[in-house]
Amino acid sequence: MNDRYGRNDRVAGLLRRELAVLIQRELKDPEVGFIGVSDVEVTRDLSLARVFVTMFDPEHSGRTLHALNRSAGWLRGRLGTLLHLRQIPELRFEHDDSVERGARIDRLLDERRTAESADGGGDG
């Protein structure tokens, strides 16, 4: 049973690396902005891969996700020629907003520190 989980992790890592390269170097869709493949989760039966992407232009995330999902068949075909797997999972792209959430938290912490400094909230 543990081997199944190990295999899923290995396949997910392989897909993450290969998709990052394919999207960066070969995908010629102008709707796909500058993105990073942050994670891939593969179902136990290897039939579906949820591909999480980080958008560096979050305003266009809807267009980018639509373009990636539209290109999923082509990407899956390219993976089939590159990888030696019996089955290439169906690809579904999803937005990973962790970078945006982290930036928002940093901004809120900076605002709080600034407000405390202005109020004389130091330990002084």
Side-chain angles (χ1 to χ4, degrees):
M1 199 70 164
N2 286 338
D3 189 41
R4 281 187 177 268
Y5 294 110
R7 177 169 168 74
N8 284 12
D9 290 342
R10 289 191 305 271
V11 169
L14 183 63
L15 291 174
R16 184 179 51 77
R17 284 188 302 275
E18 292 299 325
L19 281 168
V21 171
L22 284 173
I23 291 168
Q24 180 184 20
R25 294 186 184 163
E26 294 187 28
L27 188 60
K28 304 295 186 213
D29 191 327
E31 294 290 316
V32 176
F34 186 57
I35 66 163
V37 178
S38 56
D39 195 17
V40 174
E41 293 178 357
V42 180
T43 57
R44 286 177 55 168
D45 64 357
L46 302 177
S47 65
L48 175 66
R50 294 174 58 206
V51 182
F52 295 92
V53 293
T54 303
M55 314 281 178
F56 295 96
D57 186 5
E59 291 180 17
H60 298 105
S61 63
R63 280 194 319 211
T64 299
L65 277 178
H66 180 73
L68 285 169
N69 282 305
R70 188 177 58 227
S71 300
W74 180 83
L75 288 165
R76 187 177 182 200
R78 285 292 294 134
L79 288 169
T81 62
L82 296 171
L83 304 177
H84 301 289
L85 296 175
R86 188 177 312 143
Q87 173 183 343
I88 303 295
E90 176 186 342
L91 305 174
R92 289 202 190 137
F93 290 89
E94 299 182 28
H95 182 207
D96 177 2
D97 66 348
S98 60
V99 171
E100 294 151 42
R101 281 184 299 160
R104 182 174 178 270
I105 290 169
D106 285 344
R107 189 174 56 252
L108 290 171
L109 290 172
D110 287 343
E111 289 171 6
R112 182 175 174 140
R113 282 188 215 109
T114 301
E116 287 176 353
S117 295
D119 291 341
D123 290 335

